[in-house]
Amino acid sequence: MKTTPPQLTPFVRSDAVGAILAETLGHPDREVTLAELGRRAGVSGPVVHREVGRLVDSDVLRDRQEGRNRLVRANSEHPLFALMRDLVGATYGPIPVLRELFEDVDGVERLLIYGSWAARRAGESGAFPNDIDVLVVGTPLRRTLTNIASEASGRLDIPVNVTRLPVEDWEAEDASPFVATVRSRPTVDVMTGDIDA
């Protein structure tokens, strides 16, 4: 089956590889099992096994066995580590960065990326995104969201815009024009990595 080339960066072989690299290169000191890596990256087990094998063979990732688990981590000694980390962080980094920043925030029912970044991640061609649009469905404090947007913008080196929406507005049958537009376009669930195209 022919797959479409990744739209966030043509230098990465697939979106699955981009997601795997974002989860590993962004945290070079963290080891994860393949199952955890698959969950975090939103990639199936067979694809994780295959792509991690290729990345280990290329010395981009390191692995080791611990009992029945295969643990992987970034090879921070690779000569191109910093360049790869920066490229992958700029293209696939929003998911792990936002997931980490929202991890302990109360009142978040749903956390979605929408707009041009989500469209590129869903495979739609177009110019590289100028910003990251994030929709928070729930009741977290606006001050908290402002701080997260600022930190995410700094870490990703691209403006991050966070919009808060009450659950009842998101679930309303007679949706506002904004909600109708977001629902009609691709979104990426930050917590699961699932793409709704």
Side-chain angles (χ1 to χ4, degrees), residues 5-134:
Q7 295 299 312
L8 288 171
T9 175
F11 305 111
V12 175
R13 128 188 200 97
S14 70
D15 284 328
V17 172
I20 289 167
L21 288 172
E23 293 294 341
T24 53
L25 298 180
H27 296 281
D29 298 330
R30 181 175 65 194
E31 277 188 318
V32 292
T33 65
L34 295 191
E36 178 65 15
L37 182 57
R39 277 192 299 278
R40 288 177 168 274
V43 177
S44 70
V47 173
V48 170
H49 282 275
R50 181 180 67 240
E51 298 302 343
V52 164
R54 289 181 175 148
L55 292 166
V56 168
D57 289 346
S58 300
D59 206 30
V60 172
L61 298 181
R62 298 253 169 99
D63 68 340
R64 69 180 181 90
Q65 286 293 133
E66 185 174 278
R68 298 174 70 183
N69 289 320
R70 182 179 180 194
L71 299 169
V72 295
R73 64 176 174 81
N75 176 9
S76 58
E77 297 173 5
H78 191 286
L80 300 176
F81 171 76
L83 294 171
M84 289 186 293
R85 183 195 57 217
D86 291 348
L87 176 64
V88 169
T91 53
Y92 290 90
I95 296 284
V97 167
L98 290 167
R99 185 185 305 126
E100 179 183 326
L101 292 175
F102 276 94
E103 191 171 51
D104 296 322
V105 176
D106 292 328
V108 177
E109 299 295 322
R110 295 198 67 185
L111 184 60
L112 304 170
I113 297 177
Y114 66 99
S116 58
W117 191 92
R120 298 299 89 72
R121 183 65 178 86
E124 291 184 14
S125 60
F128 189 77
N130 293 321
D131 60 5
I132 308 291
D133 296 310
V134 180

Side-chain angles (χ1 to χ4, degrees), residues 4 15 110 112-115 117-125 180-189 193-197:
T4 59
D15 284 328
R110 295 198 67 185
L112 304 170
I113 297 177
Y114 66 99
W117 191 92
R120 298 299 89 72
R121 183 65 178 86
E124 291 184 14
S125 60
T181 300
V182 171
R183 286 183 185 163
S184 71
R185 303 284 300 133
T187 59
V188 180
D189 187 304
D194 293 340
I195 300 168
D196 184 3

